[in-house]
């Protein structure tokens, strides 16, 4: 996404949040109850929240509002007596059709949450998790559960960071039961992968770039190293490689479920941000819907500035197909 697109999309999001009266980013202390059943209709995993706060007595708050035309639930838990602005565990439950602003689910830097879940875990400034469950009764045929800790990552223990993932998956399990979702549910996470981007020789790719670049392609394009994240079933995946020449590089991205809907929406709204890109959709099962994959070369082609792509169309198509196949196989998508 270009800087212009990020700025415009961010401005639209702020306006939408304001117009909808949502307070997801600002805490939920104004409407609190003493029982977890009072929040998110019993879906909040209070036991996992209690472990996060070291067994402290908790308070809960939340509300329901409309987001992208869909009923969405917002709730939070915090230690009783904690001052406003203190640490909170926040939960957002929505149909996957409500795809705008999907937190960890649309973060290319996230790692797979693992343990049998379709989901992502991100640890940039604050720990965030996103889990997607097949759910035919809901719009988009999926249930999206987003969780985060309102606290700087450096101020949390490793055990608390893990509890954010457990809070998300535990709440997803409760919400899936309430909505009558049919999708398989994963296990309680015993660890979270906080691996940063890894740069490796192209022949040693083992994460999101694995099985993408054959020896002949790498030699012809002058690719020697890849930058990748751990592979799995994250809802957004990315593989990046440097090309010969100043600032030349290629980015391959795959989006699933609400992440795919969001990216297609943005590409349609800001077509200049994908000049020269190659995009394809491929069918996946259940809430993953139609996966959306993209090949982008940088700097972007620009006729006025006489900038040309260093990767030809045939190479771009071939690399995108290889990436889509490898990523789709990890997510259980049918082989085309």
């Amino acid at each position: 996404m270009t800087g212009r697109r990020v700025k415009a999309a961010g401005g639209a999001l702020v306006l939408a949040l304001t117009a909808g009266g949502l307070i997801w980013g600002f805490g939920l202390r104004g409407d609190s109850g003493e029982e977890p059943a009072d929040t998110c209709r019993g879906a909040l995993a209070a036991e996992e929240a209690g472990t996060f706060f070291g067994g402290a007595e908790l308070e809960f708050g939340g509300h329901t509002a409309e987001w992208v035309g869909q009923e969405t639930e917002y709730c939070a838990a915090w230690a009783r007596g904690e001052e406003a602005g203190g640490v909170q565990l926040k939960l957002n439950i929505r149909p996957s059709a409500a795809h705008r602003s999907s937190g960890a689910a649309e973060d290319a830097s996230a790692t797979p949450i693992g343990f049998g879940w379709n989901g992502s875990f991100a640890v940039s400034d604050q720990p965030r998790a996103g889990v997607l469950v097949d759910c035919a009764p809901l719009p988009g045929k999926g249930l999206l559960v987003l969780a985060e800790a309102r606290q700087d990552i450096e101020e949390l223990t490793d055990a608390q960071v893990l509890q954010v993932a457990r809070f998300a998956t535990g709440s997803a399990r409760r919400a899936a039961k309430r909505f009558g979702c049919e999708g398989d549910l994963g296990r309680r996470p015993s660890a979270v992968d906080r691996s940063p981007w890894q740069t490796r020789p192209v022949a040693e790719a083992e994460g999101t770039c694995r099985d993408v670049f054959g020896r002949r392609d790498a030699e012809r394009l002058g690719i020697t190293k890849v930058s990748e994240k751990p592979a799995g079933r994250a809802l957004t995946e990315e593989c990046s490689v440097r090309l010969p020449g100043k600032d030349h590089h290629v980015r391959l991205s795959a989006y699933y479920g609400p992440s795919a809907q969001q990216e297609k929406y943005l590409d349609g709204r800001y077509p200049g941000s994908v000049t020269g890109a190659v995009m394809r959709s491929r069918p996946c099962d259940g809430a993953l819907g139609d996966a959306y994959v993209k090949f982008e070369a940088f700097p972007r082609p620009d006729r006025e500035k006489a900038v040309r792509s260093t990767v030809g169309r045939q190479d771009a198509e071939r690399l995108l197909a290889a990436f889509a196949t490898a990523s789709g196989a990890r997510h259980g998508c049918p082989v085309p």
Side-chain angles (χ1 to χ4, degrees):
M1 187 186 300
T2 66
R4 178 178 297 178
R5 181 167 121 175
V6 170
K7 184 176 181 179
L13 177 58
V14 169
L15 290 174
L17 287 169
T18 302
L22 307 184
I23 51 174
W24 171 242
F26 304 98
L28 296 161
R29 296 177 184 273
D31 180 21
S32 62
E34 295 185 357
E35 301 295 333
D38 295 337
T39 61
C40 287
R41 300 173 187 174
L44 185 146
E47 66 284 358
E48 300 290 12
T51 301
F52 177 91
F53 288 104
E57 190 174 0
L58 301 182
E59 293 186 49
F60 306 89
H63 70 281
T64 301
E66 186 177 285
W67 180 236
V68 197
Q70 306 295 334
E71 184 176 83
T72 300
E73 298 169 38
Y74 303 81
C75 55
W78 60 91
R80 185 178 295 278
E82 185 74 20
E83 295 181 0
V87 62
Q88 292 183 37
L89 278 180
K90 301 191 292 183
L91 185 67
N92 178 208
I93 300 173
R94 63 174 85 163
S96 63
H99 59 275
R100 303 289 302 281
S101 183
S102 298
E106 60 183 85
D107 189 340
S109 294
T111 57
I113 204 165
F115 299 92
W117 297 94
N118 284 323
S120 303
F121 191 79
V123 288
S124 50
D125 297 325
Q126 300 171 343
R128 298 175 297 140
V131 176
L132 182 65
V133 179
D134 291 348
C135 198
L138 293 179
K141 298 183 179 180
L143 170 69
L144 179 64
V145 176
L146 304 173
E148 65 178 75
R150 184 182 176 186
Q151 188 77 1
D152 190 284
I153 188 69
E154 300 299 331
E155 299 175 15
L156 299 175
T157 66
D158 290 344
Q160 285 179 307
V161 173
L162 171 59
Q163 279 304 119
V164 175
R166 290 175 168 175
F167 178 64
T169 56
S171 298
R173 185 177 298 280
R174 288 169 173 264
K177 181 177 181 180
R178 196 186 89 206
F179 284 108
C181 301
E182 78 286 358
D184 293 335
L185 302 177
R187 307 179 302 282
R188 184 175 186 250
S190 59
V192 289
D193 192 339
R194 300 171 63 177
S195 300
W197 288 95
Q198 297 289 333
T199 300
R200 298 185 174 97
V202 63
E204 298 176 13
E206 60 183 45
T208 51
C209 293
R210 184 177 179 180
D211 297 328
V212 176
F213 304 97
R215 181 176 59 82
R216 290 183 179 179
D217 285 330
E219 290 178 351
R220 183 174 60 259
L221 298 174
I223 298 171
T224 58
K225 294 184 178 181
V226 300
S227 182
E228 60 181 1
K229 293 288 285 188
R233 286 157 58 185
L235 298 176
T236 299
E237 288 195 322
E238 184 176 305
C239 164
S240 180
V241 297
R242 288 200 169 277
L243 300 174
K246 184 179 180 180
D247 298 327
H248 285 250
H249 65 284
V250 161
R251 182 170 69 200
L252 294 156
S253 308
Y255 306 88
Y256 296 87
S259 176
Q261 296 178 61
Q262 171 73 350
E263 192 66 16
K264 284 188 281 188
Y265 163 79
L266 290 172
D267 285 353
R269 184 166 182 176
Y270 307 104
S273 68
V274 288
T275 300
V278 181
M279 292 88 79
R280 295 288 182 268
S281 292
R282 60 169 298 176
C284 295
D285 295 328
L288 293 177
D290 287 339
Y292 187 53
V293 292
K294 296 171 66 174
F295 170 97
E296 298 171 277
F298 300 90
R300 295 189 182 280
D302 190 322
R303 291 183 179 179
E304 294 183 0
K305 297 180 180 180
V307 176
R308 299 180 61 183
S309 175
T310 57
V311 181
R313 182 78 181 195
Q314 287 187 337
D315 283 324
E317 293 275 8
R318 184 165 50 255
L319 295 178
L320 184 63
F323 177 70
T325 298
S327 181
R330 291 192 287 270
H331 290 78
C333 302
V335 177

